[in-house]
Amino acid sequence: MFRLGKRTWVSSKHKKKIDVREGIVHSAIPPEELARLSDDIIAALKTVYDPEIPADIFELGLIYKIDIEDDRMVKIDMTLTAPGCPVAGEMPGWVENAVGTVEGISGVEVSMTFDPPWTPDRMSEEAQVALGWY
């Protein structure tokens, strides 16, 4: 299994950036393939946008965890900016459809969680710039 753990963003307070690839557990998938799958999954996630915010869900910090199982099943834990988000019922399907296009994966499971709740601190610098917050 390969895990892209909780993403920690560059913060104006801390000026520290942590690579999203930290937290590799163990995998039967060759490292080169894991790197390609990871890059392709992230690229696919970056095509999904919250319709109310001009930034993709990856840069917004809505993706909490990505697991790539040895059988190449991708499991994603994600959240929304608010539990009452109007696209709450649709966005997991958007994520599943986007990641499902990645060559070499066997399937996608998306789980929604609100623990911990999303906060703007989870946004990347790129998302903050897009929103005019930086």
Side-chain angles (χ1 to χ4, degrees):
M1 180 194 333
F2 174 76
R3 174 169 290 146
L4 296 176
K6 291 182 182 174
R7 184 169 182 181
T8 303
W9 303 106
V10 175
S11 142
S12 58
K13 295 180 226 168
H14 302 100
K15 297 291 182 197
K16 181 179 177 185
K17 185 173 184 178
I18 297 175
D19 189 335
V20 295
R21 293 184 187 192
E22 283 188 4
I24 295 176
V25 178
H26 174 342
S27 180
I29 302 171
E32 304 80 29
E33 184 178 357
L34 272 177
R36 183 198 57 82
L37 287 172
S38 301
D39 291 344
D40 291 353
I41 289 166
I42 291 169
L45 290 168
K46 290 171 78 69
T47 68
V48 180
Y49 282 74
D50 183 315
E52 297 178 337
I53 303 172
D56 68 77
I57 63 169
F58 190 78
E59 296 299 334
L60 282 173
L62 299 182
I63 304 300
Y64 283 0
K65 184 172 68 172
I66 302 167
D67 286 342
I68 304 171
E69 304 287 333
D70 288 343
D71 65 359
R72 291 164 178 73
M73 172 63 81
V74 177
K75 296 182 179 179
I76 298 173
D77 289 347
M78 67 171 294
T79 194
L80 300 170
T81 54
C85 179
V87 295
E90 299 171 52
M91 195 172 292
W94 299 345
V95 170
E96 186 175 331
N97 290 338
V99 175
T101 66
V102 172
E103 185 179 334
I105 65 166
S106 63
V108 183
E109 292 178 13
V110 179
S111 298
M112 189 69 66
T113 184
F114 294 99
D115 184 26
W118 179 86
T119 63
D121 292 341
R122 293 187 173 273
M123 290 192 300
S124 70
E125 185 176 314
E126 180 181 319
Q128 291 173 14
V129 168
L131 296 173
W133 291 11
Y134 190 71

